[in-house]
Amino acid sequence: MGLRRLAAHLLLLLSVLGMSLPARAQVSGGMGTVPGEPCATPVVVLDTQQGLPVPSPSRLVDVAGTLFFIVNEGANGRALWKSTGTPAGASRVKGYPSWQSSASLDRFTAVGNLLFFTVTTSVGSTELWRSDGTATGTIPLKSFPTAGLGPQSEFVAVGNLLFFSAADSASDYELWKSDGAPSGTQLVRNIRPGTTGSFPSSLTALNGRVFFAADDGVSGDELWTSDGTQPGTVQVVNIRADPMGSLPSSLRAMGGMLYFTATDGTTSTLWKSDGTATGTRRVAPTALSGAQSVPQDLTVAGSQLFFRLSDATNAEEVWRTDGSEQGTYLLKDIKPGNFGSVPQQLTAVGEQLFFIANDGVHGDELWRSDGSRTGTTLVRDFIPGSDGLIAAKLAAGPGVLLAQINDGISGSELWKIDEVGVARLTDIGPQAASSNPRDMTSSGSRLFFAATHPTLGEVLFSLPLNEVDCFAPVITCPGTQEVEAINPQGAFFSSPPALVFDDAVAVPTVSSSPALWGFFALGTTPVTITATDAAGNSKTCTFQINVQDRTPPVLVCPQAVVQEATGPSGTLANYFVVASDAAASNLTVSYSQPPGSVFPLGTTMIDVVASDGARTTECHFPLTVRDTVPPRLTCPRDIVFPAQSAEPVPVNYQYTVEDVGTPNPELITEHPPGSLFPVGETRVTLEVRDMAGHSAECSFWVKNIDAEPPSITCPGSQQATASKPEGAVVRFPEATAKDNLIETTIRYSHEPGSTFPVGETIVTATATDAGQQTASCTFTVTVQEQLRRDGGCQAGASGGALGWLLLVLVPVWARRRAARVAE
């Protein structure tokens, strides 16, 4: 052992014996800086075998409470180490000679209780390994060509499976998986067979599946998902119908949804998906319509997604979204103008975001946001002036933000930011010297980080988490809860929650014993509520839940009961009364008129009394029996019969009527049974009305039908000679008609005395009786032109004969016309 190594060993022994490294802290409140003693005392992590410091640690990762990391062992190369949480102990897991001294370890990924990583050697291959923290449990899984697990490979844990992209001798970069066994390390699906590969990227776990971007050679680079099986590895959606695809990237899971950036060929913007094609759509297309850049540095903080963006009005600033249109907006225009605040290192702690930004006044300084515009503020002006912080590094700690910050006084040291303010956790470097802490990683109950010790060089440090967050939550229980029993055993009850306040950014976890909701037995039950923050600090409070029977029986009567009468005497009515008592088993209920009695028409008041032997409860309600159903009236079918005479005849008919409350409802009609009905059709309307005033109507027809048509006889053919150019006025004899009932009415197509044109005209005579039955006959009227001689009227015997005929017919026509007028 060299002198330098011996000196370092002695220094560390002093440290172990109680001489801890110096540390100072300042806690800043909202109005100023208040000096205070630090609660953080970092210790150097030692090799448990040799008691020497663990040099130059890197790739710190927590695996189920065990810290894994790489140590450069000098000539022996890089080795895998672990620390299980002892204050200053670490041990070697595996290294040389298992691996060549030139081997490099990379891709540290925690999957359940296993660590997956790659080992690249100089022989031209890269092996996938896994470790359970033991030498025998640290084994190779599969060997790939050196370029088969290169920089483009991505690892992600989905449950107890590791998904990764890799290339072997059979296929270029495709999706692989491993369950931690060599046989379980296999290709999931060759999405793009051939020499090109689909190059899965942005692997992200969501809802038990892995989502990623891949190019199948047909749709271009689009969104895919896999459950670890070949059939279950499918394209989610083809956003852009172009050989290049939509180029999804920056995949993030939040609230059961996947968020990512993609282009539809028009604009590159933010998208979200529920894992289906129909559930994939743009996020806030209106709010992000003016974007001048692609959203970058997507960071999930609880139920909020933060990102960097510039739009037409503001240069690059921080935005947030909850996936809705109204929930997507610019947080704050920190630096108005053309350049923006250029936010960097977006880091989530609980529901809050921390980042470095330059407002143009204070330089690069630390900012925070709770997702609201008013809640986006400068944390502290660490370096007054416009220069700001230099090379600050942010990391999420146990409910607080951890930051490597150089405040210009103590050098670059480890700080924490919580709801109280800002505190420096370490001052490892003397005075203004810097320890440059990095790789801050919480594992088990401790915080680990690498930092430069002034004499030991770069070594591994640890802090108890309760020295990172020194204060337990403040918890206030509700007062004693008085609960009324619902049965002799007790009652169900849901207690109000305790009020919890904490200095940590992340909300503490709250538990209770017994649970705040459930069944509580009669008597007093103490309940203890515990609030525990991410650093393991906890605080409890206790209150009582007192279940007692203090009230008389509960009796619930109906407000009113209405029953329909089933007969003139009323009805048999049932009703329901709810009676209960928290603890009594001898509850009795009495009624002034019990359910199942016959209640008359009208309203009866019911009195109910419940008694548990010591207390009674009464209730009253009306029970009304009423006839609310109108009568049911049925008319006979239409009555049709042939008329036997012209006189009205009596007709008896039968109808049926049913009514619950009235035995014989009143009949109202203009045509009661036995009424006289004339020849023809008569509509009969019946109405019945019961004693409750309800009525019903129906109607039917009584048809006294004259079914026998009349008979009619027309005169013979008629001749006349035109007496004017239009023809001749012809007064033909009347037709005669007969009917079995009454005299008929005769109508002519051409009335007697009408002017008939020259030629032959057919006249139709129609007789109609009282039953609208008809009979017709026809005859002809022939009008001849006057004979002309020498252009004038012809005279002679024919003219004399016509004149004689008219002298004979005129008296006859006059008599018949007079008779018709008399009628």
Side-chain angles (χ1 to χ4, degrees), residues 30 188 238 314 522 555 593 603 624 630 689 746:
V188 176
N238 187 5
N314 308 281
L522 274 171
L555 183 61
Q593 193 163 347
T603 299
T624 301
R689 186 171 298 164
I746 300 176

Side-chain angles (χ1 to χ4, degrees), residues 362-541:
H362 303 92
D364 287 330
E365 291 290 354
L366 182 62
W367 288 69
R368 72 188 299 171
S369 176
D370 61 4
S372 67
R373 293 184 172 97
T374 57
T376 303
T377 58
L378 177 69
V379 173
R380 178 180 174 185
D381 187 8
F382 286 91
I383 307 293
S386 59
D387 291 335
L389 298 173
I390 300 175
K393 294 182 176 62
L394 309 182
V400 301
L401 177 74
L402 298 174
Q404 174 203 327
I405 292 177
N406 189 338
D407 63 353
I409 300 173
S410 304
S412 182
E413 294 293 344
L414 184 61
W415 293 67
K416 75 167 183 178
I417 295 89
D418 56 22
E419 294 297 346
V420 176
V422 177
R424 179 162 46 81
L425 288 174
T426 67
D427 191 11
I428 296 172
Q431 298 179 356
S434 297
S435 66
N436 296 316
R438 59 172 175 81
D439 293 343
M440 288 77 79
T441 305
S442 297
S443 180
S445 62
R446 303 187 71 82
L447 171 70
F448 294 86
F449 60 94
T452 302
H453 187 274
T455 58
L456 302 177
E458 191 174 52
V459 293
L460 185 63
F461 285 85
S462 78
L463 272 172
L465 293 182
N466 59 9
E467 292 186 10
V468 177
D469 178 2
C470 312
F471 303 102
V474 176
I475 182 170
T476 303
C477 276
T480 298
Q481 303 295 301
E482 300 291 343
V483 183
E484 183 67 24
I486 62 172
N487 58 40
Q489 285 71 45
F492 284 97
F493 181 66
S494 179
S495 171
L499 298 177
V500 179
F501 302 93
D502 192 40
D503 61 330
V505 176
V507 177
T509 300
V510 179
S511 61
S512 68
S513 178
L516 294 178
W517 183 92
F519 190 85
F520 293 85
L522 274 171
T524 300
T525 301
V527 178
T528 299
I529 301 180
T530 303
T532 305
D533 61 22
N537 301 306
S538 64
K539 196 76 172 181
T540 63
C541 64

